[in-house]
């Protein structure tokens, strides 16, 4: 069974690699099912079941992501050429799709890219690619640090079914933008006050925080002021952006903590997400660190 799963993953990885190398080609079901060596009558269902995206949606997002790079770093290329290469017949159709996906027009993104929104916009694509990753943590991935208290943070509390978390995140992003708190300069934290999937869905609880020295208005019904306390923490750096840190948290609690002889402190596990830029292209990547407070 394990060998069969590995074979399936290898065939699907070939498809992803082929898409990356042939974004300008006709990536239809006939071509891609042939790369995977699966029947075209079943391939699209197998692809969707594996990655959580249809083949068409995956290719569309991959082309849009490439277009965003070209907008940001190929000033000599016209928006029309970029739109055509992304599979759109007209610049206005591309502009509508780009704004819907990234929250900015192509021309606005070219001048002042909002990398925080960009990372979220292509999260589904990144998450799909990560489906084939088998991340194995070891003790070498964990460091113990004396972590200073955070600067003041604005906190938006999510209480209730995780299915509604997306709405809370969108309100948080809108508030942060209105306050001019860029993810490039203002740290973002998630404090996990419950399990990812509690026995009762309504018991899910998480705080979304952003660093700010701006006072929170007393009548602000969305945000409250606070701070994340400092102290000794076990810190696990997660490889890449993800909306599911449960495997990392389980490793810390189930394997690392019992073997370490340490005891957890009375503060929830939390993470920090921050932007980092690759020096050769200034392309952003997100760095996620998970903090388990220790006594």
């Amino acid at each position: 069974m394990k060998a069969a799963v590995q074979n399936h993953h290898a065939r699907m990885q070939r498809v992803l690699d082929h898409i990356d190398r042939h974004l300008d080609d006709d990536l239809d079901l006939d071509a891609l099912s042939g790369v995977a060596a699966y029947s075209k009558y079943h391939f699209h269902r197998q692809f969707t079941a594996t990655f959580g995206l249809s083949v068409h949606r995956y290719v569309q997002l991959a082309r849009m992501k490439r277009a965003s790079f070209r907008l940001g770093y190929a000033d000599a290329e016209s928006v029309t050429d970029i739109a055509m290469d992304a599979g759109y017949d007209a610049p206005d159709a591309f502009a509508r799709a780009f704004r819907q996906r990234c929250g900015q027009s192509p021309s606005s993104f070219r001048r002042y890219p909002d990398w925080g929104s960009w990372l979220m916009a292509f999260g589904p694509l990144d998450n799909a690619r990560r489906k084939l990753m088998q991340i194995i943590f070891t003790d070498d991935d964990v460091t113990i640090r004396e972590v200073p208290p955070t600067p003041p943070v604005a906190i938006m509390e999510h209480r209730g079914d995780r299915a509604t978390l997306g709405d809370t995140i969108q309100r948080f992003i809108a508030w942060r933008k209105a306050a001019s708190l860029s993810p490039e300069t203002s740290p973002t934290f998630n404090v996990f006050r419950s399990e990812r999937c509690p026995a009762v869905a309504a018991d899910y609880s998480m705080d979304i925080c952003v660093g700010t020295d701006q006072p929170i208005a007393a009548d602000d019904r969305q945000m409250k002021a606070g701070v994340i306390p400092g102290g000794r923490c076990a810190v696990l750096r997660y490889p890449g952006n993800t909306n599911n840190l449960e495997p990392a948290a389980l490793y810390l609690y189930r394997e690392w903590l019992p073997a370490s002889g340490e005891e957890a402190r009375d503060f929830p596990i939390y993470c920090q997400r921050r932007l980092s830029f690759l020096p050769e292209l200034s392309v952003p990547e997100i760095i996620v660190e998970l903090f388990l407070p220790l006594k």
Side-chain angles (χ1 to χ4, degrees), residues 271-287:
C271 77
Q272 179 179 3
R273 301 174 190 270
R274 58 188 175 87
L275 289 175
S276 178
F277 286 83
L278 302 177
E280 62 271 20
L281 284 177
S282 294
V283 176
E285 66 172 356
I286 198 160
I287 295 173

Side-chain angles (χ1 to χ4, degrees), residues 185-200:
T185 56
S186 302
T188 303
F189 302 90
N190 299 141
V191 181
F192 304 105
R193 297 187 176 275
S194 74
E195 297 177 5
R196 179 179 173 87
C197 297
V200 178

Side-chain angles (χ1 to χ4, degrees), residues 131-206:
K131 297 286 187 182
L132 299 185
M133 291 176 61
Q134 293 186 354
I135 300 173
I136 300 174
F137 300 107
T138 69
D139 289 353
D140 292 338
D141 298 316
V142 182
T143 58
I144 296 179
R145 295 188 210 160
E146 188 68 35
V147 179
T150 64
V153 294
I155 303 170
M156 180 174 286
E157 298 178 337
H158 177 88
R159 303 292 184 266
D161 196 330
R162 193 174 181 277
T164 64
L165 179 59
D167 295 334
T168 304
I169 292 173
Q170 290 305 314
R171 291 198 305 274
F172 173 80
I173 292 172
W175 188 95
R176 187 182 66 191
K177 285 185 176 180
S180 300
L181 298 174
S182 166
E184 297 175 33
T185 56
S186 302
T188 303
F189 302 90
N190 299 141
V191 181
F192 304 105
R193 297 187 176 275
S194 74
E195 297 177 5
R196 179 179 173 87
C197 297
V200 178
D203 290 341
Y204 182 77
S205 178
M206 184 180 78

Side-chain angles (χ1 to χ4, degrees), residues 7-285:
N7 178 55
H8 170 74
H9 284 184
R11 293 159 84 173
M12 286 299 182
Q13 187 62 58
R14 286 204 306 269
V15 174
L16 299 190
D17 293 342
H18 181 87
I19 292 172
D20 287 344
R21 293 193 301 267
H22 300 87
L23 280 175
D24 293 322
D25 295 349
D26 185 8
L27 297 171
D28 59 14
L29 284 177
D30 284 335
L32 295 180
S33 62
V35 172
Y38 281 132
S39 163
K40 70 176 181 180
Y41 299 108
H42 303 290
F43 169 72
H44 64 291
R45 291 189 178 89
Q46 290 173 293
F47 188 96
T48 302
T50 300
F51 298 110
L53 292 173
S54 69
V55 176
H56 174 75
R57 188 61 174 153
Y58 183 93
V59 171
Q60 187 180 51
L61 283 173
R63 286 172 172 161
M64 183 69 78
K65 187 173 184 179
R66 182 183 66 169
S68 71
F69 282 124
R70 292 170 67 178
L71 285 169
Y73 303 111
D75 293 338
E77 291 191 84
S78 71
V79 173
T80 298
D81 288 341
I82 293 173
M84 298 293 285
D85 288 343
Y88 291 85
D89 295 331
D92 57 342
F94 170 72
R96 285 194 300 271
F98 191 89
R99 181 186 289 276
Q100 185 178 21
R101 170 59 46 183
C102 298
Q104 291 180 278
S105 68
S107 57
S108 175
F109 183 87
R110 172 164 270 178
R111 291 193 303 271
Y112 306 108
D114 181 348
W115 290 118
S117 296
W118 179 88
L119 283 165
M120 294 197 66
F122 293 103
L125 182 66
D126 296 334
N127 288 335
R129 296 185 67 89
R130 201 171 289 113
K131 297 286 187 182
L132 299 185
M133 291 176 61
Q134 293 186 354
I135 300 173
I136 300 174
F137 300 107
T138 69
D139 289 353
D140 292 338
D141 298 316
V142 182
T143 58
I144 296 179
R145 295 188 210 160
E146 188 68 35
V147 179
T150 64
V153 294
I155 303 170
M156 180 174 286
E157 298 178 337
H158 177 88
R159 303 292 184 266
D161 196 330
R162 193 174 181 277
T164 64
L165 179 59
D167 295 334
T168 304
I169 292 173
Q170 290 305 314
R171 291 198 305 274
F172 173 80
I173 292 172
W175 188 95
R176 187 182 66 191
K177 285 185 176 180
S180 300
L181 298 174
S182 166
E184 297 175 33
T185 56
S186 302
T188 303
F189 302 90
N190 299 141
V191 181
F192 304 105
R193 297 187 176 275
S194 74
E195 297 177 5
R196 179 179 173 87
C197 297
V200 178
D203 290 341
Y204 182 77
S205 178
M206 184 180 78
D207 296 342
I208 311 175
C209 315
V210 58
T212 177
D213 55 5
Q214 301 177 20
I216 307 301
D219 60 351
D220 191 324
R221 296 185 178 182
Q222 298 192 86
M223 309 295 285
K224 69 177 187 179
V227 67
I228 297 176
R232 294 176 69 248
C233 290
V235 184
L236 176 57
R237 179 166 171 162
Y238 202 93
N241 190 20
T242 180
N243 292 324
N244 183 10
L245 290 169
E246 189 73 2
L250 286 175
Y251 169 76
L252 285 174
Y253 281 120
R254 187 169 55 200
E255 299 183 43
W256 183 86
L257 190 61
S260 70
E262 298 281 351
E263 290 188 45
R265 184 161 28 105
D266 190 21
F267 188 80
I269 195 168
Y270 67 95
C271 77
Q272 179 179 3
R273 301 174 190 270
R274 58 188 175 87
L275 289 175
S276 178
F277 286 83
L278 302 177
E280 62 271 20
L281 284 177
S282 294
V283 176
E285 66 172 356

